[in-house]
């Protein structure tokens, strides 16, 4: 595929991704995210499976809810989750997966300006 019409900053990276460094980055970002969240935001997160990943072109928070009650609690703290994610990157995503057989996933994409704060 020819990318000659794209500016250099929009071209795919020529450097292969180091999986070990990627995992370490994801772990560090996850730990920092957990540290900056307030206790009201941490409470519903602690009842779910969750992680942050930097693999895509946006920082992504993935949350896996074990039941409908936890799913609802996560939905109530969405504004806080979005606020804390904005600390890291202007382009973020939140993916919320409900319990198996209880509906479809919710995928939200946010764009904000880090300079606007």
């Amino acid at each position: 595929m020819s990318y000659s019409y794209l500016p250099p900053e929009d071209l795919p990276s020529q450097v292969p991704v180091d999986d070990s460094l990627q995992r370490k980055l994801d772990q560090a970002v996850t730990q920092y995210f957990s540290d900056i969240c307030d206790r009201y935001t941490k409470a519903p997160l602690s009842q779910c499976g969750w992680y942050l990943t930097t693999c895509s072109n946006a920082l992504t928070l993935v949350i896996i809810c074990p039941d409908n009650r936890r799913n609802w609690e996560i939905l109530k703290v969405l504004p806080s989750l979005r606020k804390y994610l904005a600390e890291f990157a202007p382009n973020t995503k939140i993916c919320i997966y409900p319990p198996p057989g209880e509906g479809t996933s919710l995928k939200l994409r946010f764009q904000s300006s880090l300079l606007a704060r």
Side-chain angles (χ1 to χ4, degrees), residues 45-62:
L45 277 177
S46 69
Q47 301 297 313
C48 299
W50 67 276
Y51 62 92
L52 281 162
T53 182
T54 57
C55 289
S56 65
N57 38 347
L59 179 66
T60 304
L61 172 61
V62 178

Side-chain angles (χ1 to χ4, degrees), residues 9 20 32 35 37 39 42 55 71 82 84 97 105:
E9 62 270 9
S20 174
Y32 185 70
D35 291 346
C37 285
R39 66 182 179 171
K42 280 185 186 180
C55 289
N71 194 26
R82 192 234 179 268
Y84 292 124
Y97 294 94
S105 62

Side-chain angles (χ1 to χ4, degrees), residues 56-85:
S56 65
N57 38 347
L59 179 66
T60 304
L61 172 61
V62 178
I63 305 170
I64 302 144
C65 301
D67 56 44
N68 284 329
R69 179 177 175 211
R70 302 308 184 278
N71 194 26
W72 180 245
E73 290 172 358
I74 289 295
L75 292 174
K76 289 192 297 187
V77 296
L78 263 176
S80 295
L81 293 171
R82 192 234 179 268
K83 177 183 83 169
Y84 292 124
L85 284 174

